[in-house]
Amino acid sequence: MATSVFHQPPGTAQPHQHFQNSGFRHEFGHASVKLTFKGFKVETGLSRRGGYSSCKRKFGVIQASASHTSVVQPVSYPPNNSTDELRKKSSEAALILIRHGESLWNEKNLFTGCVDVPLTKKGVEEAIEAGKRISNIPVDMIYTSALIRAQMTAMLAMTQHRRKKVPIILHNESEQAREWSQIFSEDTKKQSIPVVTAWQLNERMYGELQGLNKQETADRFGKEKVHEWRRSYDIPPPNGESLEMCAERAVAYFKDHIEPQLLSGKNVMIAAHGNSLRSIIMYLDKLTSQEVINLELSTGIPMLYIFKGGKFIRRGSPAGPTEAGVYAYTRVCNFWSS
């Protein structure tokens, strides 16, 4: 079998090292739970098993009101406090996950992977509809992949938000980029939402399948082989990434950069891709490798988690803006394939 290597795009940061984690599990039964969330009421009658892994480290909190030349401010916690204790004391926050809308290569049934392809008209409409669904949920930070289809989805979704804040992509790739993209009005900064792009949230790299028609590839290599490449956890396509390899970079980035924002009480939206989001959901919901390969995420459908007391609580897909503050359940079959 060909050796599978993920080639990091030029000019990107090196992925963070992995930590040895200690974790705990939590379980919710069938009892009804009511939760008040910053003026919004959340009602639920069912939730999946969840869990949380933790490790000790210094956290950096991105300040929405900071200038682009000083985006990340490190926060050091007292050494005698455990990470678990800090999580329990943290404010509750919303985590919104959105898979990008339909892309031009989704429409053509081509393997896309890390090829940078924009949205179709339908994809634009899906992104706008996703924005309507989350229009009443506060958003303080946005993370997207480095690919245009995820960035378009995030930007279009935010055009529907009731707070009318402007999402602004942070450019920290060079000193000149930071200087030239500074904002010199404090009032304008307060009406902005920082958008961080990260290649670690990119779609799984499909190697030599990228650009190939999915049906023609199945005819050429056999349906079983293509199904193995697409749906196994640890078997990559030729010179591409397996889901396991995608999860290593996506989950490491989530732990190191996004979790600290949630821990500080910031509400975060992630607009990314099927496989990078499946990887993050695997971590949030403590899914096994067998469970995650059956996880399906529809394009343009937001999914909500509440981070409270150190736990991620899955709330399904938000209802429309006409039902302000009440999050409707999305049936399991909408996200899981049989």
Side-chain angles (χ1 to χ4, degrees), residues 97-102 106 119 122-134 153 157 272 277 297-303 317-318 335:
L97 308 179
I98 305 178
R99 183 186 173 193
H100 64 81
E102 182 190 67
N106 289 145
L119 300 180
K122 177 183 176 182
V124 169
E125 293 169 351
E126 287 176 335
I128 292 172
E129 179 60 31
K132 292 177 181 178
R133 284 174 171 249
I134 64 169
T153 299
L277 290 176
L297 299 177
S298 299
T299 55
I301 303 295
M303 198 159 112
S317 180
F335 290 94

Side-chain angles (χ1 to χ4, degrees), residues 105-322:
W105 278 15
N106 289 145
E107 183 182 51
K108 294 179 180 294
N109 200 32
L110 304 181
F111 286 102
T112 310
C114 288
V115 179
D116 211 357
V117 178
L119 300 180
T120 60
K121 180 181 178 182
K122 177 183 176 182
V124 169
E125 293 169 351
E126 287 176 335
I128 292 172
E129 179 60 31
K132 292 177 181 178
R133 284 174 171 249
I134 64 169
S135 63
N136 290 310
I137 304 174
V139 176
D140 302 309
M141 288 288 307
I142 298 173
Y143 288 85
T144 79
S145 74
L147 302 175
I148 190 64
R149 57 191 185 273
Q151 295 174 20
M152 288 178 69
T153 299
M155 296 299 191
L156 289 167
M158 292 310 297
T159 64
Q160 305 302 307
H161 203 274
R162 66 182 180 87
R163 292 194 174 182
K164 302 301 179 184
K165 290 189 175 182
V166 178
I168 297 178
I169 295 177
L170 303 182
H171 288 283
N172 294 314
E173 57 267 26
S174 68
E175 185 62 34
Q176 181 176 333
R178 283 190 291 272
E179 286 185 13
W180 285 22
S181 61
Q182 287 187 77
I183 300 171
F184 293 96
S185 166
E186 291 301 321
D187 289 339
T188 301
K189 289 178 186 178
K190 291 176 183 177
Q191 295 304 313
S192 304
I193 300 177
V195 181
V196 179
T197 63
W199 71 266
Q200 292 92 333
L201 299 176
N202 280 10
E203 178 58 287
R204 172 183 168 193
M205 200 272 280
Y206 269 101
E208 295 175 17
L209 300 187
Q210 292 184 168
L212 301 185
N213 180 277
K214 293 176 182 178
Q215 183 57 54
E216 292 174 1
T217 304
D219 294 340
R220 177 183 173 186
F221 295 99
K223 292 182 180 179
E224 291 184 3
K225 174 55 70 175
V226 173
H227 181 77
E228 181 180 65
W229 286 335
R230 295 186 67 190
R231 288 301 179 219
S232 64
Y233 182 67
D234 56 0
I235 301 175
N239 293 313
E241 282 187 304
S242 63
L243 178 56
E244 181 180 33
M245 296 164 71
C246 178
E248 286 178 358
R249 58 174 165 86
V251 174
Y253 185 87
F254 181 88
K255 290 180 181 179
D256 290 337
H257 296 274
I258 300 174
E259 257 184 66
Q261 306 304 325
L262 296 164
L263 188 61
S264 73
K266 291 189 181 296
N267 304 294
V268 175
M269 182 174 82
I270 304 174
H273 307 266
N275 284 296
S276 54
L277 290 176
R278 287 164 75 202
S279 301
I280 291 171
I281 291 170
M282 180 183 182
Y283 169 68
L284 300 178
D285 287 351
K286 290 297 179 184
L287 304 181
T288 66
S289 59
Q290 287 302 307
E291 288 174 319
V292 75
I293 61 176
N294 292 317
L295 179 62
E296 293 288 349
L297 299 177
S298 299
T299 55
I301 303 295
M303 198 159 112
L304 176 68
Y305 286 81
I306 301 297
F307 180 72
K308 181 181 174 72
K311 301 174 183 177
F312 286 99
I313 306 168
R314 183 174 172 180
R315 293 299 185 208
S317 180
T322 54

Side-chain angles (χ1 to χ4, degrees), residues 13-149:
Q14 293 293 329
H16 293 269
Q17 65 182 21
H18 298 287
F19 295 83
Q20 184 65 35
N21 296 333
S22 61
F24 64 86
R25 299 180 64 83
H26 66 272
E27 181 174 347
F28 292 87
H30 297 281
S32 177
V33 178
K34 291 186 178 181
L35 174 65
T36 301
F37 171 62
K38 293 188 177 181
F40 299 114
K41 182 180 179 185
V42 179
E43 295 188 358
T44 174
L46 176 67
S47 66
R48 287 183 45 79
R49 291 183 180 179
Y52 203 89
S53 296
S54 62
C55 59
K56 297 179 179 179
R57 69 186 73 159
K58 286 187 177 181
F59 294 128
V61 178
I62 296 179
Q63 302 292 341
S65 61
S67 71
H68 290 187
T69 56
S70 180
V71 177
V72 180
Q73 298 183 4
V75 177
S76 298
Y77 294 110
N80 58 338
N81 281 357
S82 70
T83 305
D84 287 349
E85 289 173 346
L86 290 167
R87 294 186 195 284
K88 291 176 182 177
K89 294 178 182 178
S90 65
S91 303
E92 67 182 52
L95 172 64
I96 303 165
L97 308 179
I98 305 178
R99 183 186 173 193
H100 64 81
E102 182 190 67
S103 75
L104 286 168
W105 278 15
N106 289 145
E107 183 182 51
K108 294 179 180 294
N109 200 32
L110 304 181
F111 286 102
T112 310
C114 288
V115 179
D116 211 357
V117 178
L119 300 180
T120 60
K121 180 181 178 182
K122 177 183 176 182
V124 169
E125 293 169 351
E126 287 176 335
I128 292 172
E129 179 60 31
K132 292 177 181 178
R133 284 174 171 249
I134 64 169
S135 63
N136 290 310
I137 304 174
V139 176
D140 302 309
M141 288 288 307
I142 298 173
Y143 288 85
T144 79
S145 74
L147 302 175
I148 190 64
R149 57 191 185 273

